[in-house]
Amino acid sequence: MDDMKNNWKIIPPFHPEFDLERCDYKNGCKICVTECSFGEISLKPEKGKDGEIQYRPWSNMSACNACQRCVKMCPQNAIHIAFKPMHTSHGYWTSDYVGNLWRQTGKSGGVLLVGTGATGPQKRYFDYMMFDACQVTNPSIDPLREPMEIRRYLGSKPERYGEKIGPQLKLEVPIMFAAMSFGAVNIRVHEAEARASQIVGTYWNTGEGGFHKNLRQYGGNTIVQVASGRFGVSEDYLKSAAAVEIKIGQGAKPGIGGHLPGEKVSKPISETRMIPEGTDALSPAPHHDIYSIEDLRQLIFAIKEATEYKIPVAVKIAAVHNVAPIASGIARAGADIIVIDGFRGGTGATPFQIRQNTGIPIELALSAADRRLSEEGIRNRVSLVASGGIQCSSDVLKLICLGADAVYIGTPVLIALGCGVCQRCFTGKCPYGITTNRPGLAERIDVESATTALVRLLMSWSEEIKELMGSMGISAIEALRGNRDRLRGVGLNEEELKILGIKHAGT
Amino acid sequence: MCGIVGIINTDRKLIDGNYIREAIRIQRERGNGLGGGFAVYGAYPENKDKYAFHIMYEGSQNNPYISMVEDYIRSRMVIYHSEQIPVYPNDRIPRGPYFKRYFLKPLAEFLAPEQTEEDYIVEVVMAINKMEGAFVVSSGKNMGVFKGMGYPEDIADYFRIEDYRGYMWIAHNRFPTNTPGWWGGAHPFTILDKAVVHNGEITSYGTNKRWLEMYGYYCMLQTDTEVISYIYDKLTRGDKLPPKDACYVMAPSLWEDIDRTGDEKKKNLRQIYGPAIVNGPFGIVLSHSNGAIVLNDRNKLRPVVCAKAGNTFYASSEECSIRLLSPDVDNLWSPRGGEPVIIDFSVEDTQELRGRKAQWSLW
Ligand code: SF4
Ligand code: SF4
């Protein structure tokens, strides 16, 4: 039986390799051992020249996730992470599929969990769309000399001047921080997001885990979420924010609820979520009071009533096949903002199969929804926010050209704080102290420097966006919303071009 | 490139086409012979209560689609008079399409409930433009457009525009860069009595077009000029914005300035009409029966000079055109980017206007 155990043994594809020439172990350094929160590195005793016992770092070959924490923290730069997967000789049964089966049959016996967004080979449409630029007939605009405006207002707008204009969110940059709940991330991350939003003039989203009382001073830059678990939702909560977002779904796990294990529900989390300490926080898959669009309408207006129609109400959905008619329905149900989250969107924990196989790319979903709303003549009524898989500033601008009023970014926020995208957020052992509330780990986030990093993230992307706009001869970003003329497809087929609403390069 | 000129007499004093011909001729450098055109206001005083349609038919006068179009017109309107527009082929422009002029009125019973006469005319124009081989060059009352392929002075000679007299003339010399040159693609572009001449290339085209499509405007010609005239029409006729606000929507001030002045109206206009903002370089003269508007893009990436001499107002891409017409012009200036110059006759009737000062506004 014990022998049998080894049938399921998996050696992780990554492990740290130590350059002992550089390593300072002889002087007693063991930084990497303490830094690795996954327990990959241990100390191995060794006899030195003069016979004295020394401890050198040793890779256990059992837990490394290539998060790069030890690499970054080693003062001697003596570590690099090697990638040596257990190969199979089979071209179809690759180590990914084989490894997952061994994991399920040997250990978990259940659903494979994973963090961050989908990794599959599906096309990144961003890469197949190129911007236009001004040449001769049309001067480009130099952002260093001319004002470039990237401010956006999110919220419902009437058809014509003179009619009542709904409550608006003012964004100085077309980028907001996506929903990540307290519990999934820790309060330090929330505080950094809140502060950076306030400094730059944009919004962050609490996610579904409530809004910690210590951060309420940032309410003017906060969007609070109402999700199926209704954690932390009270009249006070709704009124404390600049906008309320009803979360129907998210790109990383469309149609799936959430689960924060009881051991993670510490005192502050239990208070903020308004659940007993140590109990599992379960978000059901659907809202138990929303079984159709008219139910959503009731919830939207219940929230509007509670907040006296003073703040916009957003509805967030995952990008799914029928996204266009769903978006139209949500607009007609009275939402001021619709958030569409593509299948590449990140998460703290999602079933692997759902993450990899459910939903559609944001580029196509957004374009379809924008077109549908325009065709129905109700595009003014709602703002569209796109998210899920945005990796750089040009992605942001391409989504704006496809009809987005603004975007949400999540994974780039984590990466700005150090995250090495190791996909192990659900373990609660985040080596960068981001997706963990463990004492000792969470302190790895310093709110001051995290805030600075997030401000830099927004500012650098804004500068790049202005450069891109200048080269296209655009000085106000609203002239780019839905402006598919500024994009051309390269290597896309007719159907794809039609859905994106763009022409192929050369035409 | 492209060159534009406008001559506007606020007393509605009529002048013949020679002046504008000369004014645009000396801007020859700004075009390449692929398009020139003129709009004249006050040309048909005896028919001023009827819509004057100038229609261009491809090919010769024997083409079958002429009768098809005319059958359609007859089914929707009353034709009071129709005639061939006289043309004078010369060695520079030896031939061109066939042009006809109609004086029309819709019958009251043809209008759908709540449809204005102007909405009805727009519908008819859109329908004819969708038909094979025909194109409505202009459709306003007491005004007309003459345009085609060639340098503007040659087009002027082709139509002998010196035979027409008007209180307002605008002209265009084309150097096409985005759409191929053809007779219908020359400027001015019109809808009802609004005519636009334009120098520029609009980078916001895609956004503007989508927004217009929500309100039933179809941009068939794929030109910037078309988009500008539709935006203006939607804002002034559809949403009843005064010309000043319509210009503001197309070339708004910076958010920074709006914040500083705390101007709620400007803020709301910009919020609501974001997709109607016109970006990219442009200089336009937009004329209508009761005045004209001169507008530059916010960054002033195209030249426009304005001048006033007595009761005549000039707008031009080049100062030389103005100096030619009025050598000792007293007041000449270059409007700032995004700040429209609005000339509004305010009073409908010429008789009444006489002796009154037309309203000038600089904003
Ligand atoms: S998991 Fe991270 S810290 Fe641990 S060994 Fe691997 S790379 Fe280093
Ligand atoms: S947040 Fe932490 S656990 Fe999650 S992927 Fe990044 S480094 Fe790994």
Side-chain angles (χ1 to χ4, degrees):
Chain A
M1 193 62 192
D2 266 4
D3 281 351
M4 179 77 187
K5 231 174 154 182
N6 278 342
N7 288 359
W8 300 292
K9 177 173 172 183
I10 299 171
I11 296 175
F14 315 101
H15 70 269
E17 280 180 354
F18 306 96
D19 180 343
L20 293 180
E21 297 264 301
R22 302 187 69 99
C23 180
D24 211 14
Y25 71 99
K26 290 179 182 149
N27 293 321
C29 178
K30 45 178 197 248
I31 290 176
C32 54
V33 183
T34 41
E35 285 300 328
C36 183
S37 54
F38 297 110
E40 168 66 14
I41 309 176
S42 54
L43 291 171
K44 188 177 178 237
E46 205 179 68
K47 237 186 213 146
K49 266 193 205 125
D50 44 6
E52 166 202 358
I53 300 284
Q54 289 173 335
Y55 292 91
R56 55 158 293 192
W58 181 253
S59 168
N60 297 335
M61 304 283 270
S62 63
C64 181
N65 294 305
C67 69
Q68 310 291 337
R69 177 78 186 182
C70 53
V71 176
K72 293 193 208 173
M73 300 314 281
C74 174
Q76 303 299 328
N77 295 339
I79 310 178
H80 81 268
I81 304 301
F83 175 56
K84 290 182 185 158
M86 294 167 73
H87 288 297
T88 58
S89 67
H90 201 285
Y92 186 68
W93 286 100
T94 57
S95 56
D96 285 349
Y97 290 95
V98 172
N100 280 343
L101 267 169
W102 284 341
R103 265 183 208 108
Q104 284 182 302
T105 50
K107 248 200 215 143
S108 75
V111 172
L112 292 169
L113 277 187
V114 69
T116 72
T119 58
Q122 292 84 354
K123 200 179 241 176
R124 212 184 91 91
Y125 283 93
F126 293 117
D127 295 335
Y128 298 83
M129 294 185 283
M130 305 297 284
F131 289 119
D132 190 20
C134 299
Q135 298 288 296
V136 187
T137 58
N138 195 342
S140 41
I141 304 170
D142 184 349
L144 297 176
R145 290 177 46 194
E146 306 286 348
M148 280 288 163
E149 299 189 290
I150 57 170
R151 182 188 292 183
R152 296 301 288 142
Y153 281 93
L154 301 187
S156 179
K157 282 140 196 120
E159 260 183 38
R160 59 179 60 82
Y161 181 72
E163 290 166 14
K164 203 177 145 12
I165 179 160
Q168 304 284 317
L169 293 181
K170 176 169 118 185
L171 279 68
E172 294 296 354
V173 296
I175 306 167
M176 302 184 289
F177 297 138
M180 290 182 278
S181 69
F182 179 40
V185 298
N186 59 57
I187 183 119
R188 290 157 181 264
V189 176
H190 268 191
E191 186 169 353
E193 288 187 290
R195 283 204 210 173
S197 302
Q198 196 178 54
I199 292 168
V200 176
T202 184
Y203 300 84
W204 70 288
N205 191 312
T206 59
E208 61 170 318
F211 187 12
H212 196 282
K213 54 183 189 301
N214 293 355
L215 298 181
R216 299 256 163 141
Q217 52 178 307
Y218 301 105
N221 293 85
T222 306
I223 299 172
V224 294
Q225 222 179 35
V226 172
S228 59
R230 300 287 152 86
F231 300 117
V233 177
S234 64
E235 190 186 337
D236 220 35
Y237 170 78
L238 299 175
K239 283 188 170 163
S240 66
V244 178
E245 179 176 288
I246 300 171
K247 178 195 166 187
I248 300 295
Q250 77 184 86
K253 41 180 168 180
I256 289 283
H259 177 195
L260 192 69
E263 55 264 31
K264 278 193 162 187
V265 181
S266 60
K267 191 158 185 290
I269 292 177
S270 89
E271 275 173 19
T272 308
R273 292 207 175 210
M274 307 200 304
I275 52 170
E277 211 176 318
T279 51
D280 287 9
L282 286 168
S283 305
H287 286 244
H288 284 320
D289 52 1
I290 302 181
Y291 283 85
S292 188
I293 190 83
E294 58 274 15
D295 299 337
L296 175 66
R297 185 187 168 82
Q298 285 187 354
L299 180 58
I300 290 172
F301 280 94
I303 292 172
K304 287 192 174 186
E305 285 290 333
T307 53
E308 294 158 13
Y309 296 85
K310 283 188 186 138
I311 58 175
V313 174
V315 174
K316 175 177 179 175
I317 51 166
V320 290
H321 304 181
N322 236 359
V323 63
I326 296 171
S328 156
I330 295 174
R332 292 177 191 280
D336 302 299
I337 301 167
I338 302 176
V339 184
I340 305 176
D341 193 21
F343 85 108
R344 295 260 182 217
T347 179
T350 173
F352 179 77
Q353 298 302 335
I354 293 271
R355 180 185 88 166
Q356 299 296 84
N357 297 293
T358 309
I360 60 171
I362 184 62
E363 302 92 314
L364 303 179
L366 169 71
S367 180
D370 175 62
R371 176 176 312 107
R372 178 65 173 256
L373 294 171
S374 302
E375 278 169 7
E376 292 186 9
I378 54 172
R379 183 65 187 82
N380 277 2
R381 278 202 218 164
V382 279
S383 293
L384 279 180
V385 175
S387 64
I390 294 167
Q391 294 187 295
C392 55
S393 56
S394 62
D395 292 357
V396 175
L397 212 56
K398 284 172 187 174
L399 288 176
I400 289 175
C401 289
L402 293 176
D405 287 284
V407 304
Y408 266 136
I409 52 171
T411 309
V413 170
L414 306 182
I415 295 173
L417 302 184
C419 162
V421 280
C422 69
Q423 315 181 51
R424 286 292 169 273
C425 321
F426 66 96
T427 61
K429 293 182 189 167
C430 175
Y432 292 92
I434 303 166
T435 50
T436 177
N437 278 283
R438 284 193 197 186
L441 280 182
E443 286 78 46
R444 290 183 179 182
I445 291 287
D446 166 55
V447 177
E448 283 304 322
S449 14
T451 306
T452 311
L454 294 184
V455 170
R456 285 188 187 140
L457 167 67
L458 293 174
M459 295 326 280
S460 54
W461 283 24
S462 301
E463 288 311 312
E464 289 178 332
I465 285 172
K466 289 178 184 177
E467 289 277 351
L468 289 163
M469 284 168 53
S471 77
M472 287 189 266
I474 298 274
S475 69
I477 201 160
E478 58 256 53
L480 215 49
R481 192 201 74 191
N483 196 343
R484 290 160 172 82
D485 269 33
R486 301 288 106 200
L487 291 178
R488 285 291 185 275
V490 175
L492 295 176
N493 67 34
E494 238 171 82
E495 190 65 24
E496 292 167 324
L497 292 168
K498 207 176 97 198
I499 295 163
L500 293 166
I502 62 177
K503 291 188 194 152
H504 200 276
T507 54
Chain B
M1 268 247 283
C2 301
I4 55 180
V5 179
I7 308 174
I8 299 123
N9 187 285
T10 51
D11 278 347
R12 302 205 193 218
K13 213 179 89 201
L14 305 179
I15 57 168
D16 72 47
N18 252 327
Y19 294 91
I20 193 96
R21 179 192 184 277
E22 286 308 296
I24 195 75
R25 185 184 61 77
I26 65 162
Q27 288 189 24
R28 189 181 166 98
E29 190 65 20
R30 300 192 70 85
N32 66 354
L34 288 180
F38 303 85
V40 53
Y41 289 78
Y44 307 123
E46 60 282 9
N47 281 305
K48 68 176 184 185
D49 57 333
K50 304 178 189 79
Y51 293 91
F53 272 48
H54 284 196
I55 301 185
M56 182 189 101
Y57 296 103
E58 273 165 30
S60 76
Q61 67 193 89
N62 308 322
N63 270 326
Y65 35 67
I66 300 181
S67 59
M68 275 165 56
V69 171
E70 289 186 346
D71 284 347
Y72 171 73
I73 296 176
R74 231 170 265 124
S75 76
R76 306 284 313 253
M77 317 268 282
V78 181
I79 304 181
Y80 284 85
H81 179 67
S82 74
E83 64 192 10
Q84 181 183 353
I85 297 177
V87 294
Y88 307 89
N90 51 51
D91 52 355
R92 280 151 296 138
I93 303 182
R95 73 191 67 81
Y98 180 64
F99 284 95
K100 264 188 104 168
R101 152 163 70 216
Y102 303 82
F103 293 105
L104 310 169
K105 257 185 174 180
L107 271 182
E109 65 255 35
F110 288 4
L111 301 191
E114 312 213 345
Q115 193 180 30
T116 67
E117 206 171 273
E118 295 193 319
D119 293 342
Y120 185 82
I121 299 292
V122 170
E123 215 177 271
V124 172
V125 171
M126 297 279 166
I128 298 175
N129 284 351
K130 276 185 199 152
M131 293 165 91
E132 181 91 15
F135 181 72
V136 180
V137 174
S138 61
S139 53
K141 284 180 180 168
N142 200 10
M143 60 83 71
V145 164
F146 305 96
K147 64 179 186 180
M149 279 273 279
Y151 280 103
E153 64 271 24
D154 300 337
I155 294 293
D157 295 344
Y158 187 77
F159 288 103
R160 281 211 190 142
I161 63 161
E162 64 264 37
D163 294 349
Y164 297 89
R165 290 163 63 76
Y167 57 85
M168 176 157 64
W169 285 88
I170 61 174
H172 189 254
N173 184 11
R174 190 161 187 233
F175 199 137
T177 50
N178 46 9
T179 40
W182 65 292
W183 282 70
H187 299 200
F189 185 84
T190 66
I191 183 78
L192 294 167
D193 66 331
K194 297 177 190 76
V196 183
V197 288
H198 161 250
N199 167 23
E201 194 176 309
I202 292 171
T203 48
S204 54
Y205 182 83
T207 302
N208 303 148
K209 178 175 157 249
R210 274 180 101 73
W211 180 74
L212 284 168
E213 279 171 0
M214 287 215 300
Y215 304 105
Y217 290 88
Y218 290 96
C219 305
M220 264 164 307
L221 293 182
Q222 307 273 322
T223 69
D224 300 346
T225 327
E226 186 185 31
V227 160
I228 292 179
S229 40
Y230 288 166
I231 293 178
Y232 188 80
D233 188 60
K234 149 84 176 142
L235 294 173
T236 53
R237 199 169 54 85
D239 295 358
K240 307 271 177 293
L241 291 188
K244 185 176 104 173
D245 293 345
C247 291
Y248 182 78
V249 165
M250 292 194 272
S253 51
L254 299 174
W255 284 119
E256 209 179 286
D257 299 328
I258 298 174
D259 291 350
R260 203 179 42 242
T261 55
D263 192 325
E264 273 300 304
K265 181 177 181 186
K266 288 187 177 177
K267 181 173 142 193
N268 289 345
L269 281 172
R270 214 178 150 178
Q271 285 175 327
I272 296 168
Y273 293 113
I277 189 174
V278 181
N279 244 215
F282 67 90
I284 57 170
V285 179
L286 189 154
S287 53
H288 53 90
S289 310
N290 295 316
I293 286 161
V294 183
L295 183 64
N296 242 172
D297 66 272
R298 303 195 303 170
N299 296 337
K300 188 123 184 140
L301 297 171
R302 286 289 191 266
V304 173
V305 199
C306 289
K308 188 178 169 269
N311 284 332
T312 305
F313 176 88
Y314 302 99
S316 172
S317 297
E318 306 265 358
E319 194 179 320
C320 61
S321 300
I322 298 173
R323 294 278 176 205
L324 180 86
L325 295 171
S326 182
D328 46 0
V329 61
D330 48 356
N331 182 0
L332 187 138
W333 78 100
S334 196
R336 288 175 54 182
E339 286 181 8
V341 178
I342 298 172
I343 304 126
D344 191 351
F345 301 167
S346 299
V347 189
E348 279 290 330
D349 194 79
T350 318
Q351 290 306 112
E352 264 185 64
L353 186 83
R354 203 154 284 152
R356 277 208 201 189
K357 260 188 105 67
Q359 183 194 330
W360 299 81
S361 78
L362 255 178
W363 179 64

